[in-house]
Amino acid sequence: MKPQRPAGSSNSNSKPSMETVPVARKSRSAASPVRAWPDDDQRERMVREAAYCCYEARGCIDGHELEDWLKAEAASRASSAANTAPGG
């Protein structure tokens, strides 16, 4: 007569169930902070405000809207690049 296994025990040849498999989780270290990147609306607002600052710095002289906008966009891109650089 074969010995019986207790109820709930598994066959030695069967794979472990998902319940018994330990799951490794990645933890965030303090050395790598999570950065919140602005969405398109926030980025546009920031560029708009920077362009207006360029307009004011020029003495509120009309006719340079495109130049001010492009200068503000370039500054925004440079700022984003500095934030993505290692150690930035």
Side-chain angles (χ1 to χ4, degrees):
M1 184 171 183
K2 272 186 161 178
Q4 292 184 347
R5 291 197 170 106
S9 68
S10 63
N11 186 348
S12 62
N13 294 334
S14 68
K15 294 181 182 177
S17 69
M18 291 302 288
E19 299 171 335
T20 61
V21 176
V23 177
R25 297 184 186 261
K26 292 182 179 178
S27 64
R28 297 186 191 272
S29 67
S32 59
V34 176
R35 296 182 182 170
W37 297 105
D39 62 17
D40 289 341
D41 291 336
Q42 290 172 323
R43 183 179 175 280
E44 183 179 339
R45 181 181 47 80
M46 291 166 37
V47 170
R48 188 182 312 117
E49 290 173 0
Y52 189 78
C53 287
C54 292
Y55 168 75
E56 288 182 321
R58 181 181 284 107
C60 299
I61 299 171
D62 293 335
H64 299 276
E65 295 84 4
L66 181 59
E67 180 183 344
D68 293 342
W69 186 269
L70 295 175
K71 184 176 179 180
E73 279 189 329
S76 174
R77 279 192 301 274
S79 175
S80 293
N83 287 335
T84 59

